Amino acid sequence: MIKVEGLTKRYARTVAVDNISFEVEKGQIVGFLGPNGAGKTTTMRVLTCFLPPTAGSASVAGFDVLEHPLEVKKRIGYLPETPPLYPEMEVTEYLRFVGKLKGIPSGDIGRRVDDVLGRCAIGDVRNKLIGKLSKGYRQRVGLAQAIIHNPDVLVLDEPTSGLDPKQIIEIRELLKSLAGEHTIILSTHILSEVEHSCEHVIIINQGKLVAIDSVANLTNRLRGAEAVAVVVDSDGGRPNASDVQQRLEQVPGVSRVVMKDTRDSRLCFEVESLQGRQVRADVARSVVNAGWALNELRPVGLSLEDVFLQLTAAEQTEAQKVQEGASK
Amino acid sequence: MKNVLLICQKELKSYFASPIAYAVMAIFGLIFGWVFFNASRDFVRFSFQSQMTGGGGQMNVNEQIIRPLLGFAGTIALFLVPMITMRLFAEEKRMGTVELLLTSPVKDIEIILGKWLGAMLLYLCVLFMSMINIALLFAWGKPDLKPVLVAYLGLILQGGTLLAIGALISTMTKNQIIAGIATFFISLLLWLLSWFTAFDSSATAQVVNYLSIVTHFENFGKGVLDSKDVVFYISMIFFSLFLTSRSLESLRWRA
């Protein structure tokens, strides 16, 4: 439904989005994740034809954003970070205006407005001035505006910001009910948001794509499994790192051993267990039995948050290496 | 065309939902009414005098009341147009609603025409305030209708030009006040160009003089419909609206 290839967007001095490619299938809910300033909003603005890409291409429902912007715009509902509302209008008046603007035939407008008023639970403020509404209601009117023309693709920039927990749950449920017939991209920097509402996640950082995967894969990779940081003293190269790594890998229930650091004659490893296995005791026993000095053993909490931080951090160090290599 | 009317309707509604429309109409109505009152009183006084002394100059309502009054209406419009146009795009940019307009299946030019037309209709409402006074003259005297109509056409064209320039400037900033002040000074400059070159007959002076908005109104004021002046105003409107569309497009590239 959405296809982005080699998308790059450069502003005067900065590169906001750098060579991003991804595809979104029809009916999926995709979370667009990244720290502030990662390029989420810029990517969304390109998809909605608000900004033209500097390089690369993006297409929605087979229509390129540069060549057929009107066709793309007809098929997209967009909720920007600040909902685009006219404070001097009443809610229904505003929705009728947007509906007409989006090309809904005038005979259907009333029905569509009633429909979105119900869906976004804003029927009780239908005759109020938008300027008088609270932040939560404004956000929902913004959402109503995005779905009024029943678009194939919904692009939502931080749809739950400023809402209270109950409203957030309502919006999540609304999004779930919209999925299937609609393809939804939503951006957020709140990870639990993605875990709750999305099937797929695209992580970007500093304009670069870090990971695309299903949420289940990303969390399962570490969720439920235990991760333990193990630090073994090493005196003059003894024991040597690969010996320790081999021994740790042989501990039953261990799925992966990652060498982290070897500073100050210490060997740091991160040991991940298989799903639902407790390996701390076995790891400790194994190290001590080998006659090595176990300096530290502590559990490392792992969540999508860590995956995210790991992925974005790894990306940064790689980029640094590349830069250093280039400068040499 | 449907979209143009939709946006025009929205603009007009928001003018009348805010104090702008009423303020602009009230200010214009007050000033124009006061000047009208003075002009008519003087006219009546002079006509008594000329009757008593016998002979004297020929008295003419068109020449002595309507023409200076409508010229004056154009001058007030110069002050009022920035108040009308300053919010057109600056407000949308500040509120972020420009994102809604630019991501809706509407062409840029439809947005611009809609907004300009909305501003134009408010300007017509403002001019309507002066028609009430002028209508009084028709009720109690027998002025010539045609020169009045031509002068109004001139006012409409002149206003349209200033509104188009104001719309252009409004796309360039997020700040309404800056948009308003810049529009005012640029309109004032276009107004005063004729003063700078009044006693100069060089080629440059003539070009500069041609660009002055007020010189083109003079003929309309006299009731003379000259295609040269109509072409000037219409081409100024097209040129400004064209620049507005370029400016709006550059918003996408810079954003």
Side-chain angles (χ1 to χ4, degrees):
Chain A
M1 201 63 174
I2 299 171
K3 201 169 171 186
V4 173
E5 269 177 75
L7 179 73
T8 300
K9 175 69 193 176
R10 230 172 269 125
Y11 293 123
R13 283 172 209 84
T14 50
V15 180
V17 174
D18 193 2
N19 200 9
I20 282 184
S21 304
F22 63 87
E23 269 184 60
V24 179
E25 302 289 323
K26 186 171 170 18
Q28 282 184 341
I29 306 189
V30 176
F32 215 53
L33 200 58
N36 293 326
K40 300 182 296 265
T41 301
T42 303
T43 311
M44 294 189 147
R45 284 181 164 175
V46 171
L47 282 178
T48 53
C49 309
F50 183 64
L51 294 177
T54 312
S57 68
S59 65
V60 173
F63 293 102
D64 189 275
V65 292
L66 278 182
E67 281 159 35
H68 305 285
L70 283 185
E71 294 300 320
V72 173
K73 287 172 184 176
K74 272 184 207 159
R75 288 166 176 77
I76 273 194
Y78 177 39
L79 172 63
E81 213 168 340
T82 42
L85 306 173
Y86 294 103
E88 74 273 9
M89 285 190 187
E90 285 170 11
V91 173
T92 29
E93 184 191 358
Y94 170 73
L95 290 175
R96 294 183 76 89
F97 168 68
V98 176
K100 285 183 198 156
L101 201 63
K102 302 281 182 186
I104 300 176
S106 45
D108 294 345
I109 288 263
R111 200 172 45 77
R112 289 296 311 158
V113 169
D114 287 341
D115 183 39
V116 294
L117 282 173
R119 279 194 158 188
C120 299
I122 46 177
D124 47 338
V125 293
R126 58 190 305 158
N127 293 324
K128 277 200 177 169
L129 283 179
I130 289 174
K132 305 264 184 214
L133 295 183
S134 69
K135 177 102 167 73
Y137 272 114
R138 285 183 196 202
Q139 193 72 23
R140 284 189 273 171
V141 175
L143 196 62
Q145 162 276 127
I147 61 176
I148 193 161
H149 56 305
N150 219 355
D152 295 339
V153 177
L154 263 178
V155 179
L156 310 173
D157 203 348
E158 312 213 344
T160 53
S161 75
L163 299 182
D164 65 37
K166 187 168 160 284
Q167 294 168 336
I168 291 182
I169 292 167
E170 283 168 10
I171 294 278
R172 275 182 200 150
E173 262 150 31
L174 173 64
L175 289 182
K176 277 190 186 141
S177 75
L178 290 171
E181 40 178 331
H182 306 266
T183 309
I184 304 176
I185 293 196
L186 65 94
S187 86
T188 176
H189 55 261
I190 303 162
L191 290 130
S192 62
E193 196 54 55
V194 174
E195 287 177 74
H196 280 106
S197 346
C198 307
E199 294 146 4
H200 285 73
V201 59
I202 298 172
I203 300 182
I204 65 169
N205 185 39
Q206 295 190 328
K208 292 204 176 63
L209 198 71
V210 178
I212 311 181
D213 211 335
S214 71
V215 174
N217 276 353
L218 271 182
T219 42
N220 273 357
R221 211 157 103 192
L222 301 145
R223 171 64 52 84
E226 191 182 32
V228 188
V230 180
V231 180
V232 177
D233 277 346
S234 153
D235 194 12
R238 238 163 229 286
N240 108 9
S242 60
D243 285 351
V244 180
Q245 178 150 13
Q246 264 178 13
R247 193 166 173 95
L248 288 174
E249 273 165 357
Q250 280 159 10
V251 174
V254 167
S255 69
R256 208 154 72 104
V257 178
V258 186
M259 174 86 167
K260 290 301 243 192
D261 206 353
T262 52
R263 275 176 310 189
D264 299 337
S265 68
R266 274 179 196 168
L267 307 171
C268 307
F269 297 90
E270 197 165 287
V271 178
E272 287 167 20
S273 74
L274 294 170
Q275 290 281 325
R277 293 284 291 265
Q278 299 286 320
V279 294
R280 259 181 279 170
D282 289 338
V283 166
R285 202 170 296 126
S286 165
V287 171
V288 173
N289 283 350
W292 301 328
L294 180 61
N295 187 295
E296 195 180 333
L297 182 77
R298 82 190 133 82
V300 185
L302 275 172
S303 66
L304 195 51
E305 227 122 314
D306 292 290
V307 182
F308 174 66
L309 288 176
Q310 277 176 17
L311 288 168
T312 50
E315 183 74 13
Q316 270 170 15
T317 46
E318 260 170 50
Q320 276 166 5
K321 275 179 199 158
V322 171
Q323 273 184 348
E324 281 161 20
S327 62
K328 275 168 199 166
Chain B
M1 195 58 205
K2 212 180 78 193
N3 290 328
V4 174
L5 290 179
L6 178 66
I7 291 173
C8 167
Q9 188 191 9
K10 179 223 128 203
E11 284 306 314
L12 210 58
K13 264 189 195 168
S14 62
Y15 276 128
F16 281 94
S18 69
I20 298 180
Y22 307 102
V24 169
M25 287 166 72
I27 294 170
F28 182 86
L30 266 175
I31 299 177
F32 189 86
W34 183 64
V35 174
F36 172 81
F37 171 75
N38 283 318
S40 337
R41 186 194 56 195
D42 292 346
F43 181 81
V44 172
R45 198 176 282 162
F46 283 130
S47 61
F48 274 134
Q49 274 176 5
S50 64
Q51 267 179 2
M52 295 218 278
T53 50
Q58 192 71 30
M59 297 300 286
N60 183 321
V61 182
N62 278 85
E63 280 298 307
Q64 277 157 303
I65 299 184
I66 296 178
R67 190 176 145 198
L69 266 182
L70 291 184
F72 183 68
T75 315
I76 312 174
L78 170 73
F79 291 88
L80 296 182
V81 161
M83 291 163 94
I84 297 176
T85 60
M86 63 184 194
R87 51 169 290 285
L88 277 184
F89 289 94
E91 173 88 345
E92 304 257 8
K93 281 172 78 172
R94 196 175 62 82
M95 299 294 298
T97 43
V98 69
E99 239 174 307
L100 169 67
L101 293 181
L102 294 185
T103 57
S104 294
V106 184
K107 293 192 190 95
D108 284 6
I109 195 69
E110 291 175 324
I111 299 173
I112 294 167
L113 280 179
K115 280 178 171 288
W116 177 76
L117 213 60
M120 202 62 196
L121 288 179
L122 175 60
Y123 179 72
L124 287 182
C125 293
V126 170
L127 283 185
F128 178 76
M129 303 294 289
S130 71
M131 289 179 201
I132 299 172
N133 293 319
I134 301 293
L136 282 177
L137 292 180
F138 280 92
W140 304 105
K142 286 192 219 57
D144 237 353
L145 180 63
K146 271 184 202 153
V148 178
L149 291 181
V150 171
Y152 268 109
L153 179 66
L155 279 177
I156 290 170
L157 286 171
Q158 190 188 41
T161 307
L162 292 174
L163 289 170
I165 292 169
L168 167 64
I169 292 168
S170 186
T171 57
M172 295 176 178
T173 172
K174 272 186 187 173
N175 189 320
Q176 287 191 46
I177 306 294
I178 292 179
I181 292 174
T183 306
F184 174 70
F185 278 102
I186 288 185
S187 318
L188 196 66
L189 188 72
L190 287 174
W191 199 270
L192 295 180
L193 282 179
S194 62
W195 290 20
F196 300 149
T197 56
F199 304 105
D200 196 342
S201 57
S202 68
T204 358
Q206 275 178 343
V207 172
V208 172
N209 196 36
Y210 178 79
L211 285 176
S212 167
I213 282 182
V214 74
T215 47
H216 291 275
F217 182 71
E218 274 164 13
N219 282 334
F220 284 106
K222 288 175 201 154
V224 178
L225 191 56
D226 191 335
S227 58
K228 183 187 80 181
D229 301 318
V230 177
V231 166
F232 170 80
Y233 283 132
I234 288 180
S235 56
M236 279 294 275
I237 291 171
F238 268 96
F239 183 61
S240 302
L241 292 181
F242 169 75
L243 287 183
T244 312
S245 78
R246 296 285 93 178
S247 171
L248 201 61
E249 199 177 303
S250 82
L251 197 69
R252 296 173 184 272
W253 294 94
R254 289 179 293 134

